[in-house]
Amino acid sequence: MGSLIQLEALVLRNNNLTGELASTLKNCSNLFMLDVGENMLSGPISSWIGEIMQQLIILIMRENHFSGSLPIQLIQLCYLKQVQFMDLWRNMLSKGIRK
């Protein structure tokens, strides 16, 4: 999927996906919508989502097994300026924010 550099929307909701979010998605910097909700993805939420996917308007990662703290890049306005909807509900995230 990392070769789909012009991709603007990616919806993989409810597909029983496991493991960590594929780092090859770094190449998809034109995404305005990323929906990986209702899977079994795990591990930390990578900071590259906020650093590279700066066109995101919609980010849905709800009902997975993501753990750890939120990367500061996801919540700082200087990174994700376009985000209008972010759903991280029902994961195993801690309350902290990491740099």
Side-chain angles (χ1 to χ4, degrees):
M1 287 210 295
S3 62
L4 303 172
I5 58 174
Q6 297 302 318
L7 193 66
E8 294 183 348
L10 180 60
V11 179
L12 297 171
R13 175 182 294 267
N14 199 11
N15 278 290
N16 294 318
L17 299 175
T18 60
E20 294 188 7
L21 195 60
S23 63
T24 57
L25 287 175
K26 289 180 185 180
N27 299 330
C28 302
S29 59
N30 290 323
L31 284 177
F32 69 85
M33 177 181 182
L34 176 60
D35 182 350
V36 294
E38 300 172 30
N39 283 292
M40 293 179 277
L41 296 170
S42 60
I45 295 177
S46 299
S47 62
W48 57 259
I49 294 173
E51 294 166 350
I52 294 171
M53 297 184 170
Q54 295 183 14
Q55 305 303 314
L56 280 178
I57 296 172
I58 300 169
L59 176 60
I60 302 172
M61 303 179 92
R62 68 183 291 148
E63 295 188 55
N64 277 287
H65 301 285
F66 291 115
S67 59
S69 54
L70 286 176
I72 198 164
Q73 291 84 349
L74 281 184
I75 57 173
Q76 277 188 331
L77 293 177
C78 62
Y79 287 98
L80 294 178
K81 297 176 185 175
Q82 309 296 323
V83 167
Q84 295 179 19
F85 184 79
M86 182 186 303
D87 186 353
L88 303 173
W89 183 67
R90 290 195 71 173
N91 279 287
M92 294 181 273
L93 299 170
S94 66
K95 295 179 182 178
I97 298 170
R98 72 175 187 271
K99 291 186 177 188

